[in-house]
Amino acid sequence: MSDQTYIQALALGLDPAWRRRDDADRHEDGCVFAAAVAALAQRGGRTISYSSIGLEPGVDVLLWRMAPSIDVLEETAAALLRTGIGRWLTVRHSLVGRIGPSQYVRKPTAQEQSPFDGERSRYLVVYPFTKSTEWYLLSKEARQGVMNEHMRVGHEYPTIRQALAYSFGLDSQEFVVAYEMDDLVAFGDLVRALRSTESRRSTVSDTPILLGVHRSVDEILALLGADS
């Protein structure tokens, strides 16, 4: 992975009128769209695809994307949206950030993973969040103590992996956090446990929360109706 790594959670909604197109047109739209998704890899990036069909209002496809520059993310997104089924998709949410070392973690564990390394879990939950001004005015030692508690709770759920990206100056939020898990019940327990830690006091906002089921592009297209 390059020194400069940008990520994007791209949530796309499908125009219902597309499903009323004939079988051959839907199939062709799906084929050229799948090729456009794969093209990011040729630019040094990667896309991991998730289905949110019926799970998130207005969102059918969630693409978790990585690239060495914002320019690559922008250019490949443009190609997606002018290609095949992409012409019928609307950007519902776009969360952008940059991967960088955490000031609170000295030696990352397998839980604090690269957002694209290793095997993918079944579910992805991604959301933006912003901290309060008071948080940044605390001393470094005070913030470290709060984060130590936050991380201790997280380590009690070793099957849930987390990736964090920084959005300062790039997007409306300050961070984008992504969690991967196979057990949604355990993830719910983790979120509830984190709500009662001191770090929660400094959270100003942490929505929208986007949930996706890990599926290949071909699987998603089949669910949408492009496999005829």
Side-chain angles (χ1 to χ4, degrees):
M1 187 171 292
S2 66
D3 291 337
Q4 295 297 319
T5 302
Y6 293 85
I7 61 90
Q8 179 188 37
L10 183 62
L12 303 170
L14 179 64
D15 185 339
W18 179 83
R19 295 185 174 90
R20 296 192 287 274
R21 304 191 78 201
D22 63 44
D23 292 350
D25 287 342
R26 294 199 314 273
H27 177 71
E28 176 63 19
D29 281 351
C31 289
V32 294
F33 181 77
V37 173
L40 179 57
Q42 300 170 11
R43 303 287 303 277
R46 186 179 177 191
T47 299
I48 304 171
S49 54
Y50 296 84
S51 169
S52 294
I53 302 169
L55 302 178
E56 298 291 341
V59 177
D60 297 291
V61 181
L62 177 60
L63 300 179
W64 182 227
R65 309 172 72 225
M66 174 271 285
S69 72
I70 285 291
D71 303 64
V72 171
L73 288 176
E74 181 242 4
E75 291 163 8
T76 53
L80 283 174
L81 294 173
R82 66 172 182 259
T83 303
I85 197 175
R87 296 171 297 176
W88 299 78
L89 293 169
T90 298
V91 176
R92 302 298 186 189
H93 303 283
S94 175
L95 308 176
V96 175
R98 184 177 62 83
I99 299 300
S102 170
Q103 60 181 307
Y104 304 112
V105 180
R106 293 182 180 177
K107 185 177 181 180
T109 67
Q111 282 184 279
E112 293 98 24
Q113 55 154 354
S114 159
F116 294 89
D117 287 348
E119 296 294 324
R120 302 274 62 86
S121 299
R122 184 59 176 167
Y123 305 105
L124 178 77
V125 175
V126 57
Y127 59 86
F129 73 94
T130 296
K131 292 284 194 179
S132 66
T133 300
E134 288 74 19
W135 169 255
Y136 294 104
L137 295 178
L138 290 173
S139 68
K140 181 179 179 181
E141 292 75 19
R143 284 185 277 117
Q144 184 69 60
V146 171
M147 290 307 300
N148 287 345
E149 179 194 25
H150 182 91
M151 291 183 289
R152 178 187 59 75
V153 171
H155 292 161
E156 294 174 1
Y157 298 82
T159 62
I160 299 171
R161 300 189 295 181
Q162 173 186 327
L164 181 68
Y166 298 91
S167 300
F168 294 96
L170 301 177
D171 213 331
S172 299
Q173 72 279 344
E174 295 173 345
F175 307 90
V176 177
V177 64
Y179 288 94
E180 283 191 300
M181 76 296 298
D182 293 313
D183 186 345
L184 287 173
V185 174
F187 180 65
D189 291 341
L190 168 59
V191 172
R192 182 165 53 187
L194 290 174
R195 289 289 192 269
S196 62
T197 62
E198 189 65 25
S199 64
R200 185 63 182 172
R201 294 182 186 273
S202 63
T203 301
V204 174
S205 63
D206 56 1
T207 60
I209 295 176
L210 303 174
L211 167 65
V213 181
H214 180 41
R215 296 186 185 276
S216 68
V217 173
D218 288 343
E219 287 179 298
I220 295 172
L221 290 170
L223 289 174
L224 291 172
D227 63 335
S228 301

